[in-house]
Amino acid sequence: MKAASRIAFFYLLFGYVWIYFSDYAISLIFKSTEDIRESQSLKGWGFVTVSAVIIFILLVRELRRQKHVLFEKIESDQLFQIILERIEDAVIVFNLDTWKIDFLSEQVSRLFDIPTKEILIHPELLIERVHEGDRARMTNIWMNQLRENHTGLLYRICMLDGKIKWALEHRLYIPTKGGSANKAVAVISDMTSYMENQSQLERSLKENETLLTEVHHRVKNNLAVIISFLQLQVYSSPPETADILEQSIVRIKAIALVHEKLYSSKNLSGLSSVDYITSLVENIKLMYMRTDIRIELDIQKIEFNIVDAIPMGLMITEMLTNSFRHAFGGGQSDALIKIDFIVMDQFNYELKYRDNGIGFPPGLNYKKAESIGLSVIFSLCSQMNGREVECSSAPNEGVFYHFAFSPKKAIPKENINVSKG
């Protein structure tokens, strides 16, 4: 339309200019009627000739331009066709006005194992190949929801030989524009290899989890055997040796508890701080039979990894053991131990431990003390990338430990307060 309008406008303008100036020139040059008549005839022939030449030139230019545009469109269509033929995804373009398939890539035929000609004649064959468990869902989308966009449609395709293929479909609705038809475009990816690999990975992961659970179980059982041997040795040892063996038993039980919690948990890579510290305190209190001591726990939940769980458990074990053995004499009615575990953020947490016992002996330098228990506490703190914030004691006012840690792997979950009497 634009080309025709340009040619018509130029022809009209040229005609007006030709007639006006040619008639004016003839009136000036010729005076007789015969000369004017002959010149008018020549003027008409000249107008036809010149206008024909001009129109020819304009048409040739326009045809060349249209040919160039058409050539570019053909190249674009060919490129689009090559891309659709060479990509691995299957593509279907469905005309919603005629309810026929406008375009069907060869990948569709390979994916559904149906000849292209049959699909074009009977599109319902695609639905028949969908697995019975997915057919109702996909039929509803393909038949009733074509004017909507859909992403991530995962379904199964049944082959004639009984094999199952997995397909992932993305469907796009293209509304009419400039008189074109409404269309629905489906891009379907063959996900069979991916799903098979995923299933294999899940099986391997399950096997590895089973093996890891068995490892934790065996380690816990082996530690239990060691504990049993040590307990037998306690019965036949002198008091001083028995005392050392009992302290070793308590430490080994703290380690064994980590493996026990891990193999009985669904999460083999993490250990709940609330569950672990609470169980540890209960076990140690039960071993020493100190029902006269009240223990208060205020624990914020975090997932310990095994690298941090064992030294943390041993630290608490040493502090509790020291309190049970040395802090409280007989008959104290208000004996109290309080443990606070505070999560600052996912990479920082603190441990506060206090008792109201007799405290350190006067003049004791806890950093230079020969006590194995105190040495273990500060050594384990350093092992967990921790630092001492405060360690204080006064006669008959108990002891107070305050440590800060920056673990590499720790994910806070929720805050849970636990109180034990």
Side-chain angles (χ1 to χ4, degrees):
M1 289 298 293
K2 291 182 179 180
S5 299
R6 285 197 300 269
I7 294 173
F9 174 76
F10 182 82
Y11 182 76
L12 183 64
L13 179 64
F14 175 75
Y16 284 156
V17 173
W18 177 277
I19 292 171
Y20 177 78
F21 285 102
S22 62
D23 287 348
Y24 180 72
I26 290 173
S27 65
L28 293 176
I29 298 172
F30 302 101
K31 301 298 182 182
S32 66
T33 304
E34 185 65 22
D35 292 338
I36 293 174
R37 187 181 63 78
E38 291 180 359
S39 62
Q40 287 286 357
S41 297
L42 293 173
K43 184 191 74 168
W45 287 109
F47 173 76
V48 171
T49 302
V50 173
S51 61
V53 172
I54 293 174
I55 291 174
F56 174 77
I57 294 172
L58 292 174
L59 287 175
V60 169
R61 286 184 59 190
E62 195 62 37
L63 288 174
R64 286 178 177 174
R65 194 181 69 84
Q66 293 292 339
K67 182 180 179 181
H68 180 70
V69 172
L70 181 61
F71 181 74
E72 288 183 344
K73 183 178 183 302
I74 292 173
E75 281 189 333
S76 177
D77 291 343
Q78 289 177 344
L79 178 61
F80 177 71
Q81 185 78 16
I82 292 172
I83 292 173
L84 291 179
E85 288 175 355
R86 293 188 179 181
I87 62 174
E88 296 182 359
D89 295 338
V91 179
I92 305 173
V93 179
F94 192 77
N95 192 316
L96 300 184
D97 295 343
T98 62
W99 284 87
K100 293 182 179 179
I101 295 176
D102 282 353
F103 176 82
L104 189 74
S105 67
E106 289 297 325
Q107 289 82 347
V108 178
S109 176
R110 292 196 292 268
L111 179 61
F112 286 85
D113 196 19
I114 304 174
T116 301
K117 292 182 179 179
E118 293 186 19
I119 297 176
L120 292 173
I121 299 172
H122 302 289
E124 64 274 8
L125 293 175
L126 298 176
I127 289 289
E128 294 177 2
R129 283 294 168 88
V130 177
H131 190 276
E132 291 182 356
D134 303 321
R135 189 176 300 165
R137 173 173 59 93
M138 297 308 301
T139 300
N140 180 52
I141 293 173
W142 286 353
M143 300 300 295
N144 303 323
Q145 301 180 34
L146 288 173
R147 297 178 184 270
E148 301 175 12
N149 294 329
H150 302 275
T151 58
L153 299 173
L154 187 64
Y155 55 91
R156 292 160 290 178
I157 302 172
C158 294
M159 300 292 101
L160 294 177
D161 57 3
K163 293 183 178 179
I164 299 294
K165 287 185 176 180
W166 285 88
L168 181 66
E169 180 175 326
H170 302 284
R171 190 169 283 265
L172 176 66
Y173 169 62
I174 304 176
T176 181
K177 184 178 181 181
S180 61
N182 293 295
K183 295 183 179 181
V185 180
V187 181
I188 310 170
S189 305
D190 188 348
M191 302 294 290
T192 305
S193 297
Y194 173 81
M195 296 301 292
E196 289 176 351
N197 291 337
Q198 188 73 10
S199 298
Q200 185 176 356
L201 287 174
E202 290 177 356
R203 288 194 298 270
S204 298
L205 180 60
K206 189 174 182 179
E207 291 174 359
N208 289 337
E209 288 179 349
T210 302
L211 290 174
L212 187 56
T213 300
E214 182 64 21
V215 168
H216 285 302
H217 194 191
R218 288 180 181 272
V219 170
K220 183 260 179 183
N221 288 343
N222 291 337
L223 291 174
V225 171
I226 294 173
I227 291 171
S228 298
F229 282 131
L230 291 176
Q231 287 175 334
L232 290 174
Q233 193 69 32
V234 168
Y235 300 140
S236 59
S237 300
E240 292 182 359
T241 304
D243 184 62
I244 295 173
L245 292 174
E246 286 178 352
Q247 293 182 53
S248 299
I249 290 172
V250 173
R251 292 165 182 152
I252 296 172
K253 281 190 173 182
I255 299 173
L257 183 61
V258 172
H259 295 281
E260 179 183 347
K261 293 296 181 182
L262 284 174
Y263 82 71
S264 62
S265 171
K266 294 181 179 180
N267 181 11
L268 295 175
S269 63
L271 191 63
S272 167
S273 58
V274 174
D275 186 25
Y276 176 54
I277 294 176
T278 302
S279 299
L280 181 65
V281 171
E282 289 178 345
N283 287 344
I284 297 173
K285 184 177 180 180
L286 183 63
M287 282 190 62
Y288 283 95
M289 301 296 292
R290 295 303 301 266
T291 57
D292 57 321
I293 301 174
R294 184 163 56 94
I295 301 178
E296 293 183 357
L297 303 181
D298 189 354
I299 313 292
Q300 292 184 346
K301 192 169 185 180
I302 200 173
E303 291 294 323
F304 280 131
N305 60 73
I306 191 170
V307 175
D308 292 328
I310 290 178
M312 175 60 68
L314 289 174
M315 279 186 69
I316 296 174
T317 298
E318 293 300 328
M319 289 186 283
L320 281 172
T321 300
N322 289 341
S323 295
F324 286 151
R325 289 167 52 84
H326 307 295
F328 305 106
Q332 187 173 344
S333 60
D334 59 346
L336 173 66
I337 296 174
K338 183 172 176 57
I339 301 175
D340 296 327
F341 186 83
I342 305 166
V343 178
M344 312 303 292
D345 55 52
Q346 63 176 346
F347 297 113
N348 294 279
Y349 57 76
E350 296 182 356
L351 175 67
K352 294 181 180 181
Y353 178 96
R354 72 177 72 240
D355 67 42
N356 61 351
I358 62 174
F360 291 150
L364 174 70
N365 185 344
Y366 64 89
K367 291 186 177 181
K368 297 181 179 180
E370 297 181 358
S371 168
I372 294 177
L374 289 175
S375 300
V376 167
I377 291 172
F378 295 103
S379 175
L380 292 170
C381 175
S382 299
Q383 181 179 327
M384 288 187 293
N385 196 28
R387 60 185 177 84
E388 173 195 341
V389 177
E390 181 183 353
C391 180
S392 59
S393 176
N396 299 317
E397 293 183 6
V399 295
F400 175 65
Y401 299 95
H402 183 187
F403 300 101
F405 304 90
S406 300
K408 295 181 180 180
K409 295 180 181 180
I411 306 174
K413 297 287 186 176
E414 58 184 292
N415 293 349
I416 300 180
N417 294 333
V418 181
S419 179
K420 288 287 178 183

